[in-house]
Amino acid sequence: MHQLPETFKSRMKQYLNKDYESFIKTYEQSHTQGLRVNTLKLTTDQFLSLSPFQLQVVPWTAEGFYYQEEDRPGKHPYHAAGLYYIQEPSAMAVTEVLDPQPGEKILDLSAAPGGKSTHIVTKMKDKGLLVANEIHPTRVKALSENLERFGAKHILVTNESPKHLAKIFPEYFDRILVDAPCSGEGMFRKNPEAIAEWSESHVQYCAIRQQDILDEAQKMLKPGGTLVYSTCTFAPEENEGTIARFIDKYPQFEIEPIPDTLAGLFKSGEPKWVENDDSSKLQFTLRLWPHHIQGEGHFIAKLHKKESTVEATFKPMQVKSLPEAVQYYRSFAKEHLNEVDEGIFHSFGDHLYLVPDGLPDLKGIKVERLGLHLGELKKKRFEPSHALAMALSKNHVRQFLPLNLEQAEKYLRGETLQVESNQTGWTLVTIDAYPLGWGKISNHQLKNHYPKGLRWK
């Protein structure tokens, strides 16, 4: 049993009444564990035919599965190949409510470590643009790596405050996800450190910060667009209270009912906890309770921004590419790939990127990743990036090297491998036909090009 703060327990008792005992008993159980299949790389059926894990379906996500603790999917090469993302099952419901569509422009405003961003990009079929933002410099690197592992191309990863982003992207996005920083009550089973940080004053602080974030987020949503707000807390001040204050302040927004196919799996929001009014549209919000579902605590609200006749404008991004880098990339691609990715090239120094169309001017913005990093120009030759490897499949390349499980683990540790292949030069290293990274073969020896910062210990 987790040592829960007495004030927290008395608050929950007051809210839940007769439901309190079944709620509090969930803290005697271990937290739920799940993974979500990367449908950019394979179907769920293909994954299930490969999977060595004991899996059960998550009812609200076609790509989601519960796994057993002993499975340890984070320690399997399939994880390094980007075949799935390890994600708490309740969190998977948030992107289902957001309902991203291919070709849209979507913002995930507080995106690290990337669970919801990787889910969004699969729902979009990697078509359109996902801007994944994280304000903390250390956390944004993990976000970028997770999107890279998924093979995402049409992305922009930024390290900015909501206020700064709002100046660059006025009324730009079709959908925005605000997975708000919160007091974390719903994660006490999963993250006991959150218990030590909890206090009633922290709840109040989070509610104020959430309002500030929403103030900026709403500026970036197109009229007619969708904003989904979510937290992993039970506190009404941060959930129904934050939404009630927001729609009072911004009458152009209204709470949108969530389809019954999804909403029917969860409990409704609780208007009476903030308004003493059961007829409020706040009942269209969702609460995910650990004593009602197999998952941790979450709150989700879906908001619609009313149409407007005024259309926002923005200054387009000035794209500049190093001609020599493009030339050497095309030579590399012609020699090693079956098809050459073409589009909008952009250079940062000697690094070449393929960037999404329709971006605004990003001057002054801290960019962690802009589209697909193709590689780097090095002394009159082109060295392909790990991101390019992860965005390919065996069908895209002239040669690939399949590894067994033992060899794959050695490769991921950065070891040089002896191989029987007669290939030479750059090769895509794979496990069960899915890419792990690059290697270079010479004299039956595979020189390892798996990035040093990602290598297994």
Side-chain angles (χ1 to χ4, degrees):
M1 177 73 160
H2 297 280
Q3 288 299 311
L4 300 171
E6 289 302 320
T7 315
F8 168 74
K9 290 198 284 188
S10 64
R11 275 167 60 94
M12 297 311 297
K13 201 170 204 171
Q14 177 191 341
Y15 293 132
L16 292 172
N17 297 319
K18 62 182 188 324
D19 251 12
Y20 174 74
E21 287 306 321
S22 56
F23 166 76
I24 210 70
K25 277 183 181 167
T26 63
Y27 290 92
E28 297 169 14
Q29 304 156 9
S30 58
H31 68 86
T32 52
Q33 305 192 75
L35 60 82
R36 201 192 64 256
V37 178
N38 180 3
T39 53
L40 296 179
K41 297 199 176 207
L42 74 175
T43 66
T44 50
D45 285 345
Q46 286 171 328
F47 175 69
L48 290 172
S49 71
L50 288 175
S51 167
F53 313 128
Q54 306 167 69
L55 301 175
Q56 288 180 294
V57 176
V58 173
W60 46 89
T61 309
E63 307 85 21
F65 297 89
Y66 299 100
Y67 67 84
Q68 303 300 312
E69 194 168 350
E70 59 270 23
D71 285 331
R72 303 183 76 206
K75 299 293 184 186
H76 197 286
Y78 289 159
H79 183 255
L83 302 194
Y84 50 82
Y85 188 96
I86 295 169
Q87 185 178 29
E88 193 282 309
S90 289
M92 299 177 191
V94 176
T95 300
E96 295 293 337
V97 171
L98 184 68
D99 194 25
Q101 299 298 315
E104 292 182 329
K105 293 183 174 73
I106 298 180
L107 170 64
D108 186 356
L109 189 52
S110 306
K116 297 174 179 74
S117 283
T118 52
H119 199 180
I120 290 167
V121 86
T122 57
K123 293 281 186 187
M124 295 171 74
K125 297 182 169 42
D126 199 19
K127 292 174 182 171
L129 173 68
L130 169 66
V131 176
N133 180 68
E134 175 54 46
I135 196 168
H136 296 290
T138 49
R139 285 166 55 82
V140 79
K141 296 199 181 308
L143 169 63
S144 187
E145 284 171 7
N146 283 325
L147 282 163
E148 175 183 84
R149 196 171 64 250
F150 255 50
K153 300 178 185 177
H154 294 98
I155 56 168
L156 170 66
V157 180
T158 56
N159 172 213
E160 279 299 342
S161 68
K163 190 172 185 177
H164 201 177
L165 276 187
K167 291 174 183 171
I168 303 294
F169 294 101
E171 294 192 340
Y172 181 86
F173 296 102
D174 299 290
R175 297 176 201 260
I176 294 178
L177 172 59
V178 177
D179 185 39
C182 67
S183 58
E185 294 173 358
M187 292 292 136
F188 283 176
R189 290 195 303 184
K190 184 184 177 196
N191 180 18
E193 293 85 35
I195 298 173
E197 293 171 11
W198 186 89
S199 67
E200 284 190 289
S201 61
H202 186 51
V203 168
Q204 301 305 325
Y205 166 75
C206 288
I208 293 165
R209 184 165 61 159
Q210 289 151 4
Q211 197 65 61
D212 291 343
I213 292 170
L214 284 170
D215 284 344
E216 301 303 331
Q218 61 85 25
K219 297 173 187 174
M220 294 185 270
L221 188 66
K222 285 180 184 174
T226 297
L227 190 153
V228 168
Y229 172 82
S230 65
T231 71
C232 54
T233 190
F234 304 118
E237 299 95 319
E238 302 178 64
N239 295 336
E240 293 90 350
T242 292
I243 294 301
R245 288 188 296 276
F246 179 76
I247 57 175
D248 279 348
K249 188 173 181 180
Y250 299 103
Q252 68 270 40
F253 280 85
E254 57 188 0
I255 300 173
E256 191 175 323
I258 292 160
D260 285 346
T261 49
L262 199 56
L265 299 169
F266 309 118
K267 295 294 180 183
S268 299
E270 296 283 358
K272 62 181 179 294
W273 289 353
V274 296
E275 289 190 343
N276 295 317
D277 176 11
D278 280 330
S279 66
S280 163
K281 282 193 172 181
L282 286 168
Q283 66 190 338
F284 293 144
T285 62
L286 297 182
R287 278 183 168 268
L288 283 63
W289 292 101
H291 57 298
H292 287 299
I293 61 164
Q294 195 180 341
E296 305 308 303
H298 255 71
F299 172 85
I300 311 173
K302 187 174 189 178
L303 304 170
H304 174 76
K305 188 176 187 178
K306 295 170 190 172
E307 297 284 357
S308 164
T309 54
V310 182
E311 196 167 315
T313 58
F314 60 87
K315 185 180 172 186
M317 176 181 166
Q318 296 299 304
V319 181
K320 292 178 182 174
S321 61
L322 193 64
E324 198 177 14
V326 176
Q327 177 194 331
Y328 278 92
Y329 159 69
R330 284 183 174 142
S331 298
F332 168 87
K334 196 172 177 182
E335 184 179 350
H336 298 288
L337 307 182
N338 291 324
E339 53 190 75
V340 182
D341 264 334
E342 291 287 353
I344 303 168
F345 293 109
H346 186 74
S347 297
F348 288 111
D350 289 332
H351 290 266
L352 186 66
Y353 290 77
L354 202 59
V355 303
D357 192 15
L359 282 170
D361 185 7
L362 301 174
K363 192 174 180 183
I365 285 281
K366 293 195 282 292
V367 173
E368 180 71 21
R369 184 173 297 254
L370 177 60
L372 175 64
H373 182 207
L374 296 170
E376 184 182 4
L377 184 63
K378 283 189 172 180
K379 296 177 185 171
K380 301 291 183 185
R381 63 182 173 83
F382 186 82
E383 185 159 305
S385 71
H386 184 62
L388 178 60
M390 300 312 288
L392 296 170
S393 76
K394 65 168 189 172
N395 299 325
H396 291 123
V397 293
R398 296 283 168 87
Q399 57 184 33
F400 66 94
L401 180 72
L403 301 183
N404 61 32
L405 189 62
E406 185 185 352
Q407 290 171 319
E409 288 174 349
K410 287 180 178 178
Y411 172 79
L412 293 169
R413 287 195 293 268
E415 296 178 24
T416 298
L417 300 178
Q418 298 299 318
V419 294
E420 294 178 9
S421 171
N422 291 320
Q423 300 172 16
T424 57
W426 288 107
T427 188
L428 189 68
V429 178
T430 65
I431 181 165
D432 291 318
Y434 298 102
L436 291 169
W438 292 109
K440 213 169 183 182
I441 301 176
S442 178
N443 297 322
H444 300 285
Q445 191 175 67
L446 179 79
K447 186 182 177 189
N448 198 315
H449 281 263
Y450 194 65
K452 288 185 170 63
L454 299 179
R455 289 179 181 179
W456 288 13
K457 300 290 188 283

